[in-house]
Short mmCIF file of all heavy atoms in Angstrom, two decimals:
data_model
loop_
_atom_site.label_atom_id
_atom_site.label_comp_id
_atom_site.label_asym_id
_atom_site.label_seq_id
_atom_site.Cartn_x
_atom_site.Cartn_y
_atom_site.Cartn_z
N GLY A 1 91.92 97.92 130.31
CA GLY A 1 92.02 96.49 130.11
C GLY A 1 92.09 96.06 128.66
O GLY A 1 91.92 94.87 128.35
N LEU A 2 92.39 96.99 127.78
CA LEU A 2 92.45 96.68 126.35
C LEU A 2 93.81 96.14 125.93
O LEU A 2 93.91 95.34 125.01
CB LEU A 2 92.12 97.93 125.52
CG LEU A 2 90.74 98.54 125.77
CD1 LEU A 2 90.60 99.84 124.98
CD2 LEU A 2 89.63 97.56 125.39
N ASP A 3 94.85 96.60 126.61
CA ASP A 3 96.21 96.23 126.25
C ASP A 3 96.39 94.71 126.21
O ASP A 3 97.00 94.17 125.29
CB ASP A 3 97.20 96.86 127.22
CG ASP A 3 98.63 96.51 126.91
OD1 ASP A 3 99.17 97.04 125.92
OD2 ASP A 3 99.20 95.70 127.65
N ALA A 4 95.86 94.03 127.21
CA ALA A 4 96.05 92.58 127.30
C ALA A 4 95.29 91.82 126.22
O ALA A 4 95.60 90.66 125.94
CB ALA A 4 95.60 92.09 128.68
N ARG A 5 94.34 92.47 125.60
CA ARG A 5 93.55 91.82 124.55
C ARG A 5 94.15 92.01 123.16
O ARG A 5 93.70 91.37 122.20
CB ARG A 5 92.11 92.35 124.57
CG ARG A 5 91.37 92.06 125.87
CD ARG A 5 90.06 92.84 125.96
NE ARG A 5 89.20 92.56 124.83
CZ ARG A 5 88.08 93.25 124.58
NH1 ARG A 5 87.73 94.28 125.35
NH2 ARG A 5 87.33 92.94 123.54
N LEU A 6 95.12 92.89 123.06
CA LEU A 6 95.72 93.18 121.76
C LEU A 6 96.85 92.20 121.46
O LEU A 6 97.50 91.67 122.36
CB LEU A 6 96.29 94.60 121.76
CG LEU A 6 95.26 95.74 121.87
CD1 LEU A 6 95.96 97.05 122.20
CD2 LEU A 6 94.45 95.86 120.59
N ASP A 7 97.09 91.98 120.18
CA ASP A 7 98.21 91.15 119.72
C ASP A 7 99.38 92.08 119.41
O ASP A 7 99.42 92.73 118.36
CB ASP A 7 97.78 90.37 118.47
CG ASP A 7 98.81 89.36 118.02
OD1 ASP A 7 99.97 89.44 118.48
OD2 ASP A 7 98.46 88.49 117.19
N HIS A 8 100.31 92.17 120.35
CA HIS A 8 101.45 93.08 120.19
C HIS A 8 102.45 92.46 119.23
O HIS A 8 102.91 91.34 119.42
CB HIS A 8 102.09 93.34 121.55
CG HIS A 8 101.22 94.13 122.47
ND1 HIS A 8 101.45 95.45 122.77
CD2 HIS A 8 100.10 93.78 123.16
CE1 HIS A 8 100.54 95.88 123.61
NE2 HIS A 8 99.70 94.88 123.87
N ARG A 9 102.83 93.22 118.21
CA ARG A 9 103.67 92.70 117.14
C ARG A 9 105.01 93.43 117.06
O ARG A 9 105.11 94.61 117.40
CB ARG A 9 102.94 92.83 115.80
CG ARG A 9 101.70 91.94 115.67
CD ARG A 9 102.07 90.46 115.78
NE ARG A 9 100.96 89.58 115.54
CZ ARG A 9 100.72 88.95 114.37
NH1 ARG A 9 101.56 89.13 113.36
NH2 ARG A 9 99.69 88.15 114.24
N ASP A 10 106.01 92.71 116.58
CA ASP A 10 107.31 93.32 116.32
C ASP A 10 107.19 94.32 115.17
O ASP A 10 106.41 94.13 114.24
CB ASP A 10 108.35 92.26 115.95
CG ASP A 10 108.70 91.36 117.12
OD1 ASP A 10 108.56 91.81 118.27
OD2 ASP A 10 109.11 90.20 116.87
N VAL A 11 107.99 95.36 115.27
CA VAL A 11 107.97 96.41 114.25
C VAL A 11 109.36 96.56 113.66
O VAL A 11 110.29 97.03 114.33
CB VAL A 11 107.50 97.75 114.84
CG1 VAL A 11 107.68 98.88 113.83
CG2 VAL A 11 106.04 97.65 115.27
N PRO A 12 109.56 96.18 112.40
CA PRO A 12 110.85 96.37 111.75
C PRO A 12 111.02 97.81 111.28
O PRO A 12 110.05 98.58 111.21
CB PRO A 12 110.77 95.42 110.56
CG PRO A 12 109.32 95.44 110.19
CD PRO A 12 108.57 95.56 111.49
N MET A 13 112.23 98.18 110.94
CA MET A 13 112.45 99.45 110.26
C MET A 13 112.16 99.26 108.78
O MET A 13 112.50 98.25 108.19
CB MET A 13 113.89 99.92 110.47
CG MET A 13 114.22 100.25 111.90
SD MET A 13 115.90 100.88 112.14
CE MET A 13 115.73 102.54 111.48
N ALA A 14 111.50 100.23 108.19
CA ALA A 14 111.26 100.19 106.75
C ALA A 14 112.58 100.25 106.01
O ALA A 14 113.56 100.83 106.48
CB ALA A 14 110.37 101.35 106.34
N ASP A 15 112.62 99.65 104.83
CA ASP A 15 113.74 99.82 103.93
C ASP A 15 113.53 101.08 103.11
O ASP A 15 112.39 101.52 102.88
CB ASP A 15 113.86 98.62 102.98
CG ASP A 15 114.26 97.34 103.69
OD1 ASP A 15 114.98 97.42 104.71
OD2 ASP A 15 113.82 96.26 103.23
N ASN A 16 114.63 101.65 102.61
CA ASN A 16 114.49 102.83 101.75
C ASN A 16 113.68 102.52 100.51
O ASN A 16 112.95 103.38 100.00
CB ASN A 16 115.86 103.37 101.39
CG ASN A 16 116.53 104.09 102.55
OD1 ASN A 16 115.88 104.40 103.55
ND2 ASN A 16 117.83 104.33 102.43
N SER A 17 113.76 101.30 100.03
CA SER A 17 112.96 100.92 98.86
C SER A 17 111.47 100.91 99.19
O SER A 17 110.64 101.21 98.32
CB SER A 17 113.41 99.55 98.33
OG SER A 17 113.26 98.56 99.34
N ASP A 18 111.13 100.59 100.44
CA ASP A 18 109.73 100.67 100.86
C ASP A 18 109.25 102.12 100.83
O ASP A 18 108.15 102.42 100.34
CB ASP A 18 109.55 100.15 102.29
CG ASP A 18 109.89 98.68 102.46
OD1 ASP A 18 109.57 97.90 101.54
OD2 ASP A 18 110.48 98.32 103.49
N LEU A 19 110.05 103.01 101.36
CA LEU A 19 109.67 104.42 101.42
C LEU A 19 109.54 105.02 100.02
O LEU A 19 108.71 105.89 99.78
CB LEU A 19 110.70 105.18 102.24
CG LEU A 19 110.87 104.69 103.69
CD1 LEU A 19 112.07 105.35 104.34
CD2 LEU A 19 109.61 104.92 104.49
N ALA A 20 110.35 104.51 99.09
CA ALA A 20 110.31 105.02 97.72
C ALA A 20 109.05 104.59 96.97
O ALA A 20 108.82 105.07 95.85
CB ALA A 20 111.56 104.57 96.96
N LEU A 21 108.24 103.73 97.55
CA LEU A 21 106.94 103.44 96.95
C LEU A 21 106.06 104.68 96.92
O LEU A 21 105.19 104.82 96.07
CB LEU A 21 106.23 102.32 97.72
CG LEU A 21 106.86 100.94 97.67
CD1 LEU A 21 106.19 100.02 98.69
CD2 LEU A 21 106.75 100.35 96.26
N ALA A 22 106.27 105.59 97.89
CA ALA A 22 105.45 106.79 97.99
C ALA A 22 106.24 108.08 97.88
O ALA A 22 105.64 109.14 97.66
CB ALA A 22 104.68 106.78 99.32
N HIS A 23 107.55 108.01 98.05
CA HIS A 23 108.37 109.21 98.07
C HIS A 23 109.45 109.15 97.00
O HIS A 23 109.84 108.07 96.55
CB HIS A 23 109.03 109.38 99.45
CG HIS A 23 108.06 109.63 100.54
ND1 HIS A 23 107.52 110.87 100.78
CD2 HIS A 23 107.51 108.79 101.47
CE1 HIS A 23 106.69 110.80 101.81
NE2 HIS A 23 106.66 109.54 102.24
N GLU A 24 109.95 110.32 96.62
CA GLU A 24 111.07 110.38 95.69
C GLU A 24 112.30 109.75 96.35
O GLU A 24 112.62 110.08 97.50
CB GLU A 24 111.37 111.82 95.31
CG GLU A 24 110.22 112.52 94.59
CD GLU A 24 110.42 114.03 94.50
OE1 GLU A 24 111.47 114.52 94.99
OE2 GLU A 24 109.53 114.71 93.97
N MET A 25 112.98 108.88 95.64
CA MET A 25 114.13 108.21 96.23
C MET A 25 115.21 109.22 96.63
O MET A 25 115.88 109.05 97.67
CB MET A 25 114.71 107.17 95.27
CG MET A 25 115.92 106.43 95.84
SD MET A 25 115.61 105.56 97.41
CE MET A 25 115.07 103.96 96.77
N ASN A 26 115.39 110.27 95.88
CA ASN A 26 116.39 111.27 96.24
C ASN A 26 116.05 111.91 97.58
O ASN A 26 116.95 112.17 98.40
CB ASN A 26 116.49 112.35 95.16
CG ASN A 26 117.57 113.37 95.47
OD1 ASN A 26 118.75 113.04 95.55
ND2 ASN A 26 117.16 114.62 95.65
N TYR A 27 114.77 112.15 97.81
CA TYR A 27 114.34 112.69 99.11
C TYR A 27 114.65 111.71 100.23
O TYR A 27 115.18 112.09 101.28
CB TYR A 27 112.84 112.99 99.06
CG TYR A 27 112.21 113.24 100.41
CD1 TYR A 27 112.46 114.41 101.11
CD2 TYR A 27 111.34 112.30 100.97
CE1 TYR A 27 111.87 114.64 102.35
CE2 TYR A 27 110.75 112.52 102.20
CZ TYR A 27 111.02 113.70 102.88
OH TYR A 27 110.44 113.92 104.11
N VAL A 28 114.33 110.43 100.02
CA VAL A 28 114.58 109.41 101.05
C VAL A 28 116.06 109.33 101.39
O VAL A 28 116.45 109.33 102.56
CB VAL A 28 114.06 108.04 100.57
CG1 VAL A 28 114.44 106.94 101.57
CG2 VAL A 28 112.55 108.07 100.36
N LEU A 29 116.91 109.29 100.36
CA LEU A 29 118.35 109.14 100.59
C LEU A 29 118.95 110.38 101.22
O LEU A 29 119.82 110.28 102.10
CB LEU A 29 119.05 108.82 99.27
CG LEU A 29 118.67 107.48 98.62
CD1 LEU A 29 119.36 107.33 97.28
CD2 LEU A 29 119.02 106.31 99.54
N THR A 30 118.51 111.56 100.77
CA THR A 30 119.02 112.80 101.34
C THR A 30 118.63 112.93 102.81
O THR A 30 119.46 113.30 103.67
CB THR A 30 118.50 114.01 100.55
OG1 THR A 30 118.93 113.91 99.19
CG2 THR A 30 119.02 115.32 101.14
N LEU A 31 117.38 112.61 103.13
CA LEU A 31 116.92 112.67 104.51
C LEU A 31 117.64 111.63 105.36
O LEU A 31 118.03 111.90 106.51
CB LEU A 31 115.41 112.46 104.57
CG LEU A 31 114.74 112.62 105.94
CD1 LEU A 31 114.99 114.01 106.51
CD2 LEU A 31 113.24 112.33 105.85
N ASP A 32 117.84 110.44 104.80
CA ASP A 32 118.56 109.38 105.52
C ASP A 32 119.96 109.86 105.89
O ASP A 32 120.41 109.72 107.04
CB ASP A 32 118.62 108.14 104.64
CG ASP A 32 119.07 106.90 105.40
OD1 ASP A 32 119.28 106.98 106.62
OD2 ASP A 32 119.22 105.84 104.76
N ASP A 33 120.67 110.43 104.95
CA ASP A 33 122.03 110.92 105.21
C ASP A 33 122.03 112.03 106.26
O ASP A 33 122.86 112.03 107.19
CB ASP A 33 122.65 111.41 103.91
CG ASP A 33 124.07 111.90 104.09
OD1 ASP A 33 124.94 111.07 104.42
OD2 ASP A 33 124.31 113.11 103.92
N PHE A 34 121.10 112.95 106.15
CA PHE A 34 121.01 114.07 107.08
C PHE A 34 120.74 113.57 108.50
O PHE A 34 121.39 114.02 109.46
CB PHE A 34 119.91 115.02 106.63
CG PHE A 34 119.63 116.15 107.57
CD1 PHE A 34 120.49 117.23 107.68
CD2 PHE A 34 118.49 116.14 108.38
CE1 PHE A 34 120.23 118.28 108.56
CE2 PHE A 34 118.22 117.18 109.26
CZ PHE A 34 119.09 118.25 109.34
N LEU A 35 119.79 112.65 108.64
CA LEU A 35 119.43 112.16 109.97
C LEU A 35 120.54 111.29 110.57
O LEU A 35 120.73 111.28 111.80
CB LEU A 35 118.11 111.39 109.91
CG LEU A 35 116.89 112.23 109.53
CD1 LEU A 35 115.64 111.36 109.45
CD2 LEU A 35 116.67 113.38 110.50
N GLN A 36 121.27 110.57 109.74
CA GLN A 36 122.42 109.83 110.26
C GLN A 36 123.50 110.78 110.78
O GLN A 36 124.17 110.47 111.77
CB GLN A 36 122.98 108.91 109.17
CG GLN A 36 122.10 107.70 108.88
CD GLN A 36 122.80 106.67 108.02
OE1 GLN A 36 123.85 106.17 108.39
NE2 GLN A 36 122.21 106.35 106.88
N GLN A 37 123.65 111.93 110.15
CA GLN A 37 124.60 112.93 110.66
C GLN A 37 124.17 113.43 112.03
O GLN A 37 125.00 113.62 112.93
CB GLN A 37 124.70 114.10 109.68
CG GLN A 37 125.38 113.76 108.37
CD GLN A 37 125.47 114.96 107.45
OE1 GLN A 37 125.75 116.08 107.89
NE2 GLN A 37 125.22 114.76 106.17
N LEU A 38 122.86 113.63 112.23
CA LEU A 38 122.37 114.07 113.54
C LEU A 38 122.59 113.00 114.59
O LEU A 38 122.89 113.31 115.75
CB LEU A 38 120.88 114.43 113.46
CG LEU A 38 120.48 115.61 112.57
CD1 LEU A 38 119.02 115.95 112.79
CD2 LEU A 38 121.36 116.82 112.83
N GLU A 39 122.43 111.73 114.21
CA GLU A 39 122.72 110.64 115.14
C GLU A 39 124.17 110.71 115.60
O GLU A 39 124.49 110.46 116.78
CB GLU A 39 122.46 109.28 114.48
CG GLU A 39 120.99 108.93 114.28
CD GLU A 39 120.80 107.58 113.64
OE1 GLU A 39 121.68 107.16 112.85
OE2 GLU A 39 119.77 106.94 113.89
N ALA A 40 125.06 111.04 114.67
CA ALA A 40 126.49 111.06 114.99
C ALA A 40 126.89 112.29 115.81
O ALA A 40 127.75 112.20 116.69
CB ALA A 40 127.30 111.01 113.69
#
């Protein structure tokens, strides 16, 4: 009975600039490109 008491919120996708707050931007961009290839 906890689910009904929670405030369920929308979840956006992070921007690459958000991820670069903690990660190397080159890593973020390289991983982004690689994972987009897997999507395709």
Side-chain angles (χ1 to χ4, degrees):
L2 300 175
D3 180 73
R5 298 169 57 190
L6 294 166
D7 187 345
H8 293 254
R9 293 299 186 99
D10 291 334
V11 171
M13 295 182 74
D15 292 329
N16 286 346
S17 59
D18 297 322
L19 301 170
L21 293 170
H23 294 280
E24 298 168 1
M25 181 58 90
N26 183 63
Y27 166 72
V28 174
L29 295 176
T30 300
L31 185 59
D32 192 4
D33 182 65
F34 174 75
L35 295 178
Q36 287 192 58
Q37 291 181 40
L38 296 189
E39 287 181 331

